[in-house]
Amino acid sequence: MEKKKKSLSFSESVNFMVDRALTVLDIDPGTSKSIKTCNSTIKVSFPVVINGSIEVFTGWRSVHSDHRLPSKGGIRYAPIVNQDEVEALAALMTYKCAIVDVPFGGSKGGLLIDPSKYSRDDLQKITRRFARELVRKGYLSPATNVPAPDMGTGEREMAWIADTYKHLHPEDINYLGCVTGKPVAHGGIRGRTEATGRGVVYAIREFFRNADDVKAAGLQPGLSDKRVVIQGLGNVGYYAAKLLDEEDNCKIIAIVERDGVLTNDRGIKIENVRCHINEHKTIKGFPDAQFSEDGASGLEIECDILIPAAMEAQITTDNANNIKTKLIVEAANGPVTFRADDILRQRGITILPDAYVNAGGVTVSYFEWVRNLSHIRFGRMERRHDEMRGAQMLKVIESMTGEKANDWMQAEIVRGADELDLVRSGLDDTMRNSYQQLKEVLDSHEEVKDFRTAAYVVAVQKLLRSYIDIGVY
Ligand code: GLU
């Protein structure tokens, strides 16, 4: 039955999910349409000389919304990327920013390329040329449109983009804010690389702090010892799995990757797998787990928490009925299709949705952008002052109690927060606050029964506020 239906595009899938929230809020069709519609998309094709001959590359940048500027979102480099995908991802950025109160519109970019097939120098040429196209067409600047890393891109590409913009606009004193996710030595912020994965874990921790939600999902209290399956050990999946393994005492019982799946019921040490991948470029041959080439079967392993952290459309009508988990945490963008989401909800599986779960990346991007505009590292002015106050406080406590604090206490009380502490604190605060906003919607709207609809209700309410305040012109 299901299979006979024409499969939905990524954008349609996102829009149908948003429709549930629009129905709950009883929004009129015109406003609904204006919220869902992607404002503009450019497609650029440009030639680059590679090994003495010309190759033509094609890329897109979509601005889904610009009620707040800049519009924000990553640029992905992938051998399969198209306009619909970029527009769907840009839409997710709009909702994501609204959910976590990041004052940006939503945007996304994609370049059709398999980056593994090109040298570093070639990638630099291609990236700089792509960035030039974006600047010239008005799709890249600190004030209007600010890219970030995504699949297939990282701080290296962001540094090239920032440098290209600087050369085109040397008079722009805020040039570093034209892109986020840069290397720390070139205007980046500490904690950005780990931010999306860390944000995923902060979301999971907040979920487990809410005993009623844990119970409703059919899980035992406490994150410790939970059996976790993760798909994708890229930047997001790696940090999420590493923290769950090393700080939360979870058991990572399976890792699904492009080339297969690793399983071990006693738990897999993420750092060891990462070292193995760095050395061998594959998970195959990892000594402390069983390997199977049937990666897709990994998603169907019985577990407490399933974390798809790879790419969109991984849980579809084909496998939704075989998923055996209590909680799905969407670290990737759009890993569950609209129809699969319906099946999973009917089966009572709790889903923490992408637009909330993976918003840690753009949250810390926002901190980076603010840092770039203020031209000063967070904590630079106050750190030593805080330390001095801490030392004074300690002296007072010691003189009042007549006891000497041990070394550990001294260090903890005296220590002033550095940039990384502040970034993590801001990220944790954001993920906790946003979770509570979703909960308020779940508690106050009887017809909202799942976190995804709650997340979109939160987002749409905030977007609506903008429409009401600014108006349409
Ligand atoms: N590409 C990331 C995302 O999908 C980060 C976006 C950003 O930091 O602007 O959320």
Side-chain angles (χ1 to χ4, degrees), residues 1 19 31 90 113 122 138 147 151 154-155 176 182 198 208 224-225 238 248 254 261 305 307 315 337 348 389 404 465:
M1 239 320 239
D19 279 341
T31 309
I113 186 174
D122 288 341
M151 255 166 59
E155 55 178 38
L176 276 174
K182 302 176 292 292
R198 183 171 280 275
F208 275 89
S224 182
D225 275 335
Y238 163 65
D248 297 279
V261 52
I305 308 173
I307 309 180
I315 302 177
T337 62
R389 301 285 299 182
K404 191 111 189 79
R465 191 73 254 159

Side-chain angles (χ1 to χ4, degrees), residues 72-74 93 96 108 146 148-150 180 192 333 358 361-362 365:
K72 192 82 187 77
M93 288 309 303
K96 207 183 284 192
K108 201 78 171 199
V146 179
D150 200 79
T180 58
R192 173 62 185 86
N333 287 311
N358 70 35
V362 76
S365 277

